[in-house]
Structure formats: C-alpha cells, structure tokens
Amino acid sequence: MSVQSPISSVNDFVVRFANVNGSGSASANELFARSILRHGVPVSPRNIFPSNIQGLPTWYEVRVTEAGHLGARGGVDLMVAMNPQTWDKDVASIEPGGYLFYDSTKPMPTSKFRSDITVIGVPLTAITNSTYTDPRQRQLFKNIIYLGALCALLDLDPKLVEQLIGEQYKGKEKLLSSNVHALHLGRDWALQNLKCPIGLQVKKSDKVGERIFIEGNSAAALGAVYGGATVCAWYPITPSSSVAEAFTSHCKKLRHDPATGKAKYAIVQGEDELASIGIVIGASWNGARAFTATSGPGISLMTEFIGLSYFAEIPAVIMNIQRAGPSTGMPTRTQQCDIIACAYASHGDTKHVLLFPEDPAEAFEFAAQSFDLAERLQTMIFLMLDLDIGMNHRLCRPLKWDDARQYDRGKVMTAEMLDEPGRDFGRYLDVDGDGIPYRTYPGTHPTKGSFFTRGTSRDRYARYSEEGAIYADNMQRLVRKFETAQDMVPRPLQANAAKPTKYGVIYFGSTSPAMDEAIGLLESRGHQLDRMRIRAFPFHSSVASFIADHDFVYVVEQNRDGQLRQLIVNENDIDPVRLVPILHYDGTPITARFIANAIGDHQDHLKVTPLRKAVS
Amino acid sequence: MTYIAKPKFQHPGLPKNDLGYTHRDYEGKVSTLCAGCGHDSITASIIEACYELSIEPHRVAKISGIGCSSKTPDYFLGNSHGFNSVHGRMPSVLTGANLANRDLIYLGVSGDGDSASIGFGQFAHSIRRAVNMTYIVENNGVYGLTKGQFSATADRGSKSKKGVMNTDNAIDLVAIALQLGASFVARSFSGDKSQLVPLIAAAIRHRGAAFIDVISPCIAFNNHAGSTKSFDYVREHNDAVNRLDVLTGRDPITVEYAPGTVQVVEQHDGTRLALRKIDADYDANDRLAAMTFLQKHAAKGQVVTGLLYVDPDAEDLHAHLDTVETPLNTLEAKDLCPGSAALEKINASLR
Ligand SMILES: Cc1ncc(C[n+]2csc(CCOP(=O)(O)OP(=O)(O)O)c2C)c(N)n1
Ligand code: SF4
C-alpha cells in the first residue's frame, strides 16, 4: 500500500489527458479547461500532439492555477490515461501522491499500477456500450462520460459545464441534450461508486477577471484584420496553418462590404511558400497590406524573396510560427529556433526586423503594428510566434483597439506631391536622412514617379547600375534604415529585482509566463535577478546598457545554440562570456522549474567558485 | 553609368493615338540586348500594341523574372512601373500585384528558362488561377543570360551552338496553358509583327489569363543550323492558323482583309477579335480541338502560330474570390478596421 499521502490541493494542480489521435477527445478536453475557467480559476492548457492524423498518442494538459501561472509547470497530478499505448510512460509521469484515472472495464494486473498513487477506475467502455449502439457515438460520448466523472471527482459545478455545452451546441437541441445526458451518466456513476471529491479540487474563485482565452495564431490573424491586411497568401504547414484559417474566418465575419456582400480581402492558398511570399511581395509593391504565415521550412524556401524584399525595399509581413527544426525536425513541437535564420535571412548582407510577442494579446498588437512598420520601413517584418503560443489557448488581457488610430502607410508620394514645384523623386534618395526613401504606387502619375523595381543594384533614381560606389552607398543607406528601425520597434521591458543585484536575465516570446514564475522560485532560493524581456530586433540601445549594468546576464531561450544570445553578441559586440545561455530545446514548452533549476544551480555554483576574471 | 536613357527629344510631327500619345510615350530605355535579339522585336510589338490600343502607359504594371527576356520591360513603357523580380517567380509577384489593384493592366514578361524550368510551377498556377494578365514568354529554347544552356522548351534532337544534342523532351507551354484552362492562348514569332501586335492587343483586352508564347531566336546562342528556334527554322516550319485584328468598340485600329473566312469573337469588354482563318475549319473557341490541332502539327514538326484558343466568357481571379470592385490598395482604415466595438464583442465571446 501507498506510504505516500495523496496530493491535496485546491485550484493548483495539473491534469493530463492521454488520448489517441483521432478519438474525438479534443473538444471534451477543451470543455474541461473552459469549465474550470468558468469557475473563475485560471488555467493554462497545452496540446501535445504528434505529426500524424490518426492513431498516434496525443496529450492535453490543463494546469489549474489560482495563482495564474501560465507557463507549463512540469509533472502531472492527475493522469487521465485513455491510451493503452502510452500507459507505462503516462503512469510513470504522475507525481508521487498523484492520481490515475483509467477505464476499468477490463481488469488490469496490479503490476500496471504504482503503489504511491491513487488509482481511480471507471468502467467507461461498459457504461458507454450499455447506452449507445453506434460505434462513433460510443467513441465520442465516452469522452463526455469521463468528463462527467471528473466533474464529480474534482467537485466541478455541473451547471457551469452544462452552460458551456449549451453555448457550444446552441440551436442544435438534440446534440445539446445528448451531451448533457452523457455528462450526467459519468458524473452520477462517479458519485455513486467513488469517494468524491478527491484531494484535488476546484473551488469557485474570481481570478480570471476580464481576461480572454484565445490561441496566439487566432489573435495574430485578428491583428492582421485590424492592421488592415487585405492580401494573405499562404501554404499549409504546422503550426502556422491556423493563422491563415483564422484570418479567413475573421474576414468572413468582419470584412464583407455590407452593400454588395463582396470581399474586402483576397486570400490565396499558394502552391508553395515561394508563391506565397511572391504574392505578398507583389501585393505590397502595389500598395496593399499583405502577409503570409509559415514555419521554419517555409522560411527556408522564402529566403530568396526575403532578400529581394530587403534590397528592393518592398514591405511585407511574415508570421513565423516556429516549430522544432532543423529540417522537418519535430513538426508539432515548440521551439524558438529560427532567430538567426530570420534575422539574417537570404544571401548577401541582410538584416530583418523581428518582433517577439509574449502572448496572444501581444500577438494581436504586434501583428497589427507589423503592417505599419513594414510600410514605414519598406522592409520585411517577421512576427515570431511559436507553437506554444500559436496553437495553445492562453489567458490574456482583452484585445484593445484605439478607434482614432490611423494606418501608417509610410513614405508614399502621391500624384499631387509629385507635381509640387521643385520636387525631385528618386526612388532610393534618402531625403530625410533616416535611410527611408519615398516610393510611389504603380499607376500614380502619367509622367512622374514611375520606377523600375529590381533586385539588381541600382542608383538613387532606381536606374540599373553596378558601379561599386553606387552599390556601397545604397548598402550604407540600408544600414541607416535599420538603425532608424531601432527606435520604432517595441522596446524591451525591464523589471528590477526586489533587492539590488549584479545579475540579470534576458528572455523573450513564449518564455514569458514560465519566466515570471521562475523569478518567484529563484527569489525563494535567495537569488535576485533583474530582468529584461526583448520584444524586437534590431535591439534597442537599452539592451547593451542592461548587459553593461550587470556582472553577467542569463539568456533564456528555447533552442540548442543560444540564437538570441548569438545575435546580441554579434550585433552589440559584447563579450560572449558576459551572457550565460540557459537553453531548453526538447520540443516541450520551457517550464518555471527548468529555468529556476538551471539558473539556481549556476548561481549556487558561483558562491563556491570564484568569478572568472573575464566576468567583470 | 550602367544604363542608357533615350534622348528626350520628340519630333513634333509624330503621329498620335486617340489619347494623344506618340510611339515615344510607349518606349523605354535603350535596349542592352544583343543587336538582332528576337526579344527586341517583341518589345517593339508590345510598344505598337499599347500605342494602338491607346493605353495610358502609366496604367500598366510590367513584371518579369530574370533573364535577357525579363530585362525587356525596362525597354518599353518608360512611364509605367516595372518589376524585375527573381528568376521564375514573376507569376506570383504579378498575382499579388493584381490582387492589390485590379484596375491596372498587368503585363508579365518571362523567358523559357524562367517559365518552363525554375518557374514552371508558378507559370502553371497563375494560369489555373485565372489571373487577369497578359503573360508573354519570349521563347528562344536556351538560357540566353547564362550563355547558351538548353532550356526546357528546347526540342529533343535540337543542337546547341557547341554541337551538343538535346536528349530531353521539350515542354510545350502552349499545350500546358491550354490544359490548365488559360482562357486566351496564342503562339507567335518575334519576326512576325503583323501577327504578334494584334495578338498582344487582344490579350491585353482579354479579362483572364492570356498566354502568348513567342518564338524569339537568340542570335547569340540559338540561331544556328540544328536549332529548332532559329529564324530560318521557324520561317520554314511556321503554320499560321489565323490572322488577327483587334476591333475596339469604336473605330477599328487596323483592318487588313486577307483571303479566307473571318471569324469575329466578341469579348466581354466589348472588344471583338477578328480571326482571319487560313485553315477554313479552325475554331478558336474549342479548347479540345486546339489541343488536338497543336499536337497533330507538332508531330509533323510544324510550329502553329496564331490565336489557338479564346474563351469569350472568361472570368478572372477577382471574380472567383468575389472581391470588391474598389482596388484593395485604396481601402483605408475606415473600410478595413472593424473597430473597438466589434473587438469588445469578440473579447466577450472568448470568456
Ligand atoms: C535562383 C536563380 N538561379 C539561377 C539564376 C541564373 N539565371 C539568370 S537568367 C537564367 C536563365 C534565363 O533564361 P531564359 O528565362 O530563357 O531567358 P533568356 O535569357 O534566354 O531570355 C538563369 C538560369 C538566377 N538568376 N537565379
Ligand atoms: S544572349 Fe540571346 S537572348 Fe540574350 S540578348 Fe543576346 S540574343 Fe538575346
């Protein structure tokens, strides 16, 4: 028997569902997460799924967190083990004192269980088979039945769950009532046969507030709608496809001309990424706001065009939802591994603007802003999400829009401007000294302002020229433009530790919630760290000062080679020794535990080892 | 300097078209191609067609890939915007440009290396998407700019300048365009201006994907005995299916009456295509027949030129996407942004 006492916790635990891909469990599992939200208790769910359509294991994890920690925690308190294939691994992942929920229709040998956990058997197949005859119904309702049983075990209010089911099946009365019926089948069985509730419990709270629950990809797509994107060209690739799919559905609702019913947007599924980015570049050249969404392999294909966008100075937006590379890598696992590939994409001397949103709310804001930046700077903007933000629902502040906001269309000369006396139009003239030239849209003026766009070197009047001095002049102006960008992109956010400290930490993007939590864990171990969240490349000058102000700075990222660290070192001429890499790259989202352990161990180590000379 | 501008002087007595433009208004920079290159003759035909149609030069967007052929947009319509994109990817850039502003005229210029090799996919997909454009391939069977390698349109058995025999089968872009649903398909010869000019004019008037394959000998690398894209070879093997004049809704621009029946094809913009048939039963509205006709003559080693197929009821990509009539690039925040009230509703649905 167990010597370990069962875990007892209210509103702070992790439930993981182990299912088989294609079993229809996703909506039941999501319903579970949403139900807890309706109790006013924050949740942080994560999909862990294979790059396969049917038959392979899939997990859905719900972190119930009254404290509002939105990063992954690591470990499982309650495992809902519905997949025999992964049984051993699933059972092994339960925290000591945790719970195992399984389908007890067929008896299992005791060797299949652990002695330090509580085992909860519900004869799901038996209950389902005695109620339904249709195989598909049996499959789908089994998921709702286990949801019902969990309601009883965790003490969820069935009314709130029913309300959600009601919203989901609004207008489809038959489906609604059959789902509610299945929910009660599971709940009643558990109440009659098991000791409910278990040590893990959900109690109503008020910690969710105004926050919304949305996937990063959907939020970014909505940002594109609000930001005025009218052309979207894309090619399917996980985890980015849902950006284009969401853009399509948002546009269908929000972007039809009420008088004619016609579309104020054009969406093309390209034949590949080469075509997608080509369409984006063609549309942007012609004055529309255009974007594509892709992931690593797509970026690889697009690089020739990305170079053209940089050199010919054509605005464009790429939303890169990063996944684990290189090559096909782990297509359904998360990483932040395209930093270098995007920052310097294409041949020759190129540099691109990258934006790193931390959550869906920022994905929305940055997506909208990326079109202003692209047009203002006449260059490619990369919105760098990753699977962890892109394909998971996250709680975040409500999306906001200022109705007074106008789009920044950048330096575009109109026919009237071209006609101004004394006005000289040269496509690549640096009139304002900020490196950004003026452009004209095709068709603007019968005799003035037309120019030839090309990837080949040209002079300030866009006339083909391969003279060295002219080429160098142009390349220098592009550097100036990139410097201008530094003050236009979102600035890094800084927060100081409670007590003065010599150490800092830099992080970015989806690492944010885990970092917020890790800071607390580190403080409890006595480690104080100032922190800086980088939100864009080119780096603002405060990045270099932050590093200069500390003995050394940890750089936390989700890739093997410390790509952001490399970029900081490279761009700011910083001694690499001053930046300590903290790297997590197994494809799972980084956790607070991981960060706190990695930094904590390093800090502890410092106390016994004298600082190296170089670290000064 | 690495460009040559044309002198600005214009003779006051130059003839003018309906809009008051002279030929010079349709010209561009001085060509830097080899003297005698077929591509320059195509440039001249484009200039002529645009002049005759009285197009406002600045309402044309001319887009190309990379290659000698793709350089040519710099040599015509100097007052319109040009875009020399990347090798083989003109079609996607043109598609995007067209989506952004449906009101301009889109002229895509490409080479056989550009379109039949690296850009074969983009060529095919822009055609099947029915992008409203005139897509001209200046087809010389070689890579001119990279100095004489065989392209994918080089006929099997033809010889390179160095005497190497091409053992690969050729891609016939016209056959492919027909198969992919292009609604205007023609082939011509750079040396046959009287055929090419009205073909280009008709293609510009056509709403939908118009494709013209123009055999354009490369005098530097593919104009020798053994080439099937040389001037002499094409002259000897050319079989024209029809002669074509474009009649606008108003005055006909040129009408040459030649022997044989005349078939008038009405287009949706009111333009009528007058097909002067050489082959009495050639029906340019029958896609299937066109495909068969092409293959039959190809088997005999004949290059069929003329308008092979036209669909008078063609639709374009904008019709398929059901986009608003207003060019997308002119829509502003007030047209595009759903505003904070809509966002509040969205927020509420996400709780
Ligand atoms: C990605 C890429 N690969 C190769 C080249 C080199 N290149 C330039 S033009 C050209 C072929 C041009 O041939 P074609 O399109 O037939 O035009 P032509 O010069 O014969 O008119 C090639 C291979 C390039 N510019 N880009
Ligand atoms: S190399 Fe051939 S294709 Fe190129 S300009 Fe000379 S003749 Fe024309």
Side-chain angles (χ1 to χ4, degrees):
Chain A
M1 272 320 283
S2 166
V3 284
Q4 177 83 38
S5 55
I7 300 174
S8 171
S9 176
V10 175
N11 292 352
D12 184 15
F13 53 90
V14 172
V15 183
R16 186 181 276 193
F17 299 86
N19 294 99
V20 179
N21 217 5
S23 64
S25 55
S27 61
N29 297 348
E30 200 185 306
L31 198 59
F32 173 78
R34 287 180 184 279
S35 307
I36 293 168
L37 268 188
R38 287 290 168 100
H39 286 73
V41 179
V43 289
S44 166
R46 273 178 178 78
N47 273 302
I48 306 150
F49 60 103
S51 48
N52 175 282
I53 303 302
Q54 204 150 9
L56 284 187
T58 163
W59 292 271
Y60 184 75
E61 179 179 293
V62 181
R63 179 174 187 187
V64 180
T65 164
E66 172 130 24
H69 297 308
L70 300 181
R73 188 200 72 179
V76 178
D77 300 314
L78 166 60
M79 172 61 75
V80 180
M82 303 299 292
N83 186 355
Q85 276 180 60
T86 56
W87 177 272
D88 293 339
K89 193 179 160 194
D90 291 339
V91 171
S93 67
I94 302 170
E95 299 277 288
Y99 303 83
L100 171 71
F101 177 104
Y102 80 111
D103 179 357
S104 61
T105 305
K106 276 192 200 139
M108 289 272 229
T110 42
S111 62
K112 286 296 210 181
F113 302 114
R114 268 167 48 188
S115 59
D116 60 342
I117 55 174
T118 305
V119 176
I120 305 160
V122 179
L124 291 169
T125 307
I127 302 174
T128 328
N129 289 358
S130 65
T131 322
Y132 306 97
T133 49
D134 176 62
R136 187 67 192 151
Q137 273 191 342
R138 281 180 173 173
Q139 178 64 57
L140 290 177
F141 285 124
K142 189 196 277 186
N143 302 325
I144 302 293
I145 292 170
Y146 74 60
L147 182 64
L150 289 174
C151 273
L153 291 164
L154 301 173
D155 203 18
L156 292 179
D157 179 351
K159 286 273 163 291
L160 291 174
V161 189
E162 279 175 33
Q163 198 183 27
L164 272 172
I165 296 177
E167 288 167 23
Q168 194 169 331
Y169 296 109
K170 208 169 160 190
K172 298 173 191 159
E173 295 311 317
K174 233 174 122 189
L175 272 171
L176 196 165
S177 60
S178 53
N179 272 282
V180 170
H181 178 71
L183 184 82
H184 283 284
L185 268 182
R187 185 166 179 271
D188 295 346
W189 193 95
L191 286 173
Q192 283 155 24
N193 299 284
L194 302 170
K195 184 179 158 293
C196 298
I198 54 174
L200 308 176
Q201 244 179 300
V202 176
K203 284 224 173 90
K204 284 194 182 133
S205 179
D206 57 358
K207 296 285 166 17
V208 174
E210 279 292 286
R211 281 184 289 178
I212 59 166
F213 194 54
I214 184 173
E215 286 164 323
N217 282 356
S218 179
L222 199 57
V225 173
Y226 273 76
T230 50
V231 176
C232 165
W234 66 292
Y235 188 72
I237 182 169
T238 305
S240 75
S241 300
S242 56
V243 174
E245 285 157 1
F247 184 70
T248 308
S249 68
H250 292 316
C251 281
K252 279 193 174 146
K253 286 184 209 129
L254 302 166
R255 277 280 192 79
H256 280 262
D257 181 39
T260 60
K262 287 183 177 289
K264 290 190 270 187
Y265 60 91
I267 301 168
V268 174
Q269 184 185 318
E271 61 270 26
D272 51 34
E273 286 84 352
L274 305 174
S276 306
I277 191 65
I279 290 171
V280 168
I281 285 178
S284 305
W285 172 75
N286 214 358
R289 296 193 147 191
F291 78 101
T292 185
T294 191
S295 193
I299 298 287
S300 302
L301 275 178
M302 290 175 186
T303 51
E304 190 188 9
F305 259 132
I306 294 170
L308 179 78
S309 156
Y310 177 78
F311 195 54
E313 301 179 67
I314 302 164
V317 173
I318 295 182
M319 300 187 185
N320 178 12
I321 322 303
Q322 299 164 91
R323 64 188 215 182
S327 188
T328 313
M330 294 193 287
T332 59
R333 309 291 150 151
T334 196
Q335 274 187 358
Q336 302 170 312
C337 56
D338 300 337
I339 313 298
I340 297 288
C342 291
Y344 300 133
S346 203
H347 53 278
D349 294 322
T350 50
K351 280 182 204 222
H352 310 287
V353 175
L354 316 180
L355 307 179
F356 304 109
E358 66 164 348
D359 67 358
E362 224 173 50
F364 170 82
E365 284 158 24
F366 287 10
Q369 195 184 351
S370 65
F371 296 96
D372 284 348
L373 282 171
E375 292 207 300
R376 169 57 50 185
L377 292 163
Q378 294 173 38
T379 199
M380 182 79 71
I381 307 292
F382 289 84
L383 185 71
M384 305 289 280
L385 270 72
D386 58 28
L387 185 144
D388 189 29
I389 319 179
M391 289 189 73
N392 289 314
H393 279 86
R394 281 215 186 166
L395 266 187
C396 63
R397 62 186 183 279
L399 308 179
K400 277 216 162 57
W401 189 260
D402 175 4
D403 287 325
R405 180 169 165 176
Q406 290 298 316
Y407 297 150
D408 179 358
R409 306 301 311 259
K411 298 187 187 180
V412 179
M413 271 202 202
T414 58
E416 297 72 49
M417 288 164 80
L418 289 164
D419 276 333
E420 281 166 15
R423 173 73 84 167
D424 180 23
F425 174 73
R427 169 66 180 104
Y428 298 108
L429 280 175
D430 189 1
V431 180
D432 306 318
D434 55 3
I436 307 171
Y438 283 78
R439 62 174 179 148
T440 52
Y441 298 153
T444 297
H445 194 287
T447 54
K448 296 176 189 164
S450 72
F451 63 92
F452 210 89
T453 304
R454 46 164 66 87
T456 321
S457 178
R458 71 271 136 159
D459 67 9
R460 294 177 181 186
Y461 290 86
R463 296 172 302 208
Y464 167 57
S465 170
E466 293 185 17
E467 279 183 33
I470 288 177
Y471 169 81
D473 172 66
N474 190 43
M475 291 298 281
Q476 276 309 315
R477 185 180 49 77
L478 289 169
V479 170
R480 270 202 304 286
K481 183 162 95 165
F482 202 68
E483 281 161 6
T484 301
Q486 218 184 82
D487 288 318
M488 293 174 59
V489 298
R491 296 203 173 189
L493 296 182
Q494 225 170 305
N496 285 341
K499 294 180 195 152
T501 172
K502 294 186 284 185
Y503 311 116
V505 59
I506 282 178
Y507 61 103
F508 62 103
S510 66
T511 304
S512 243
M515 192 69 227
D516 292 345
E517 191 181 350
I519 287 289
L521 295 175
L522 283 163
E523 267 172 13
S524 64
R525 271 169 77 168
H527 302 303
Q528 300 286 333
L529 290 171
D530 293 336
R531 52 189 160 139
M532 171 173 264
R533 176 162 73 87
I534 291 192
R535 301 199 296 167
F537 174 69
F539 302 122
H540 188 257
S541 54
S542 56
V543 175
S545 348
F546 180 80
I547 295 166
D549 287 349
H550 294 90
D551 279 1
F552 61 84
V553 171
Y554 297 98
V555 184
V556 181
E557 44 189 324
Q558 303 185 51
N559 58 63
R560 184 193 68 180
D561 292 344
Q563 295 189 22
L564 185 81
R565 176 177 173 270
Q566 284 183 41
L567 199 59
I568 296 173
V569 166
N570 201 31
E571 291 290 321
N572 289 318
D573 250 345
I574 283 172
D575 181 354
V577 171
R578 299 174 61 83
L579 298 177
V580 182
I582 301 292
L583 306 171
H584 178 92
Y585 52 92
D586 66 3
T588 62
I590 197 165
T591 61
R593 285 182 186 179
F594 173 87
I595 299 172
N597 285 342
I599 294 182
D601 289 351
H602 193 272
Q603 290 279 71
D604 291 342
H605 189 64
L606 284 176
K607 289 185 183 140
V608 289
T609 317
L611 277 182
R612 281 168 58 189
K613 264 252 168 334
V615 185
S616 58
Chain B
M1 280 294 174
T2 24
Y3 64 92
I4 308 166
K6 279 207 173 137
K8 289 229 167 14
F9 173 76
Q10 285 205 27
H11 192 282
L14 280 178
K16 293 186 173 161
N17 63 12
D18 285 358
L19 289 181
Y21 288 110
T22 67
H23 261 90
R24 289 298 298 273
D25 296 313
Y26 294 90
E27 291 174 359
K29 296 210 170 69
V30 173
S31 167
T32 56
L33 302 184
C34 306
C37 175
H39 299 351
D40 279 337
S41 310
I42 301 173
T43 296
S45 290
I46 293 173
I47 291 171
E48 186 66 32
C50 293
Y51 170 82
E52 288 187 5
L53 285 179
S54 288
I55 282 172
E56 292 178 281
H58 73 291
R59 303 299 295 168
V60 176
K62 40 184 194 175
I63 301 168
S64 61
I66 301 283
C68 297
S69 35
S70 289
K71 287 182 172 200
T72 61
D74 216 4
Y75 313 143
F76 57 80
L77 301 180
N79 276 329
S80 59
H81 279 62
F83 194 154
N84 203 187
S85 62
V86 294
H87 190 23
R89 264 57 63 74
M90 171 277 281
S92 61
V93 176
L94 190 152
T95 303
N98 183 299
L99 290 174
N101 184 357
R102 57 192 299 170
D103 281 357
L104 299 184
I105 292 167
Y106 292 92
L107 213 52
V109 180
S110 181
D112 44 307
D114 208 51
S115 276
S117 293
I118 190 167
F120 193 45
Q122 296 225 332
F123 155 74
H125 288 274
S126 66
I127 297 280
R128 69 175 259 275
R129 286 194 187 109
V131 180
N132 185 12
M133 61 182 169
T134 298
Y135 190 135
I136 297 174
V137 166
E138 307 191 343
N139 184 355
N140 53 18
V142 285
Y143 288 179
L145 196 62
T146 50
K147 301 198 170 189
Q149 301 83 2
F150 281 124
S151 87
T153 64
D155 291 306
R156 188 166 165 182
S158 64
K159 281 197 186 135
S160 76
K161 199 176 176 184
K162 287 183 182 153
V164 180
M165 175 86 79
N166 177 30
T167 53
D168 295 340
N169 289 328
I171 289 174
D172 183 347
L173 291 173
V174 160
I176 306 276
L178 278 170
Q179 203 273 327
L180 290 168
S183 44
F184 181 109
V185 183
R187 170 170 282 144
S188 192
F189 175 48
S190 62
D192 189 355
K193 230 177 141 185
S194 62
Q195 184 194 47
L196 184 54
V197 172
L199 274 179
I200 294 173
I204 289 175
R205 286 297 188 146
H206 180 76
R207 191 191 305 145
F211 177 69
I212 312 177
D213 181 42
V214 190
I215 312 287
S216 174
C218 167
I219 52 122
F221 302 107
N222 209 12
N223 197 30
H224 45 268
S227 158
T228 56
K229 302 271 190 294
S230 67
F231 276 106
D232 291 345
Y233 186 92
V234 179
R235 268 197 208 104
E236 277 161 33
H237 295 78
N238 183 8
D239 182 8
V241 290
N242 45 41
R243 291 229 159 248
L244 172 76
D245 295 309
V246 173
L247 302 130
T248 61
R250 294 158 295 146
D251 296 332
I253 296 158
T254 50
V255 188
E256 284 173 37
Y257 292 98
T261 42
V262 174
Q263 183 185 337
V264 177
V265 182
E266 192 88 42
Q267 298 224 83
H268 35 46
D269 70 346
T271 315
R272 287 178 295 145
L273 303 180
L275 301 180
R276 194 160 313 149
K277 288 190 182 176
I278 281 173
D279 190 334
D281 17 275
Y282 191 81
D283 174 5
N285 289 152
D286 186 340
R287 187 187 294 276
L288 214 63
M291 290 165 100
T292 315
F293 185 82
L294 194 71
Q295 299 299 340
K296 264 193 193 156
H297 284 71
K300 287 192 252 171
Q302 286 176 348
V303 184
V304 185
T305 63
L307 177 65
L308 290 155
Y309 175 72
V310 65
D311 175 0
D313 304 318
E315 280 193 334
D316 79 332
L317 179 59
H318 277 284
H320 296 165
L321 296 177
D322 199 22
T323 44
V324 286
E325 295 297 328
T326 325
L328 294 177
N329 69 351
T330 61
L331 300 177
E332 297 166 24
K334 66 176 170 33
D335 311 302
L336 297 173
C337 184
S340 60
L343 199 57
E344 267 319 307
K345 275 194 199 153
I346 294 171
N347 280 328
S349 73
L350 296 168
R351 287 186 180 117

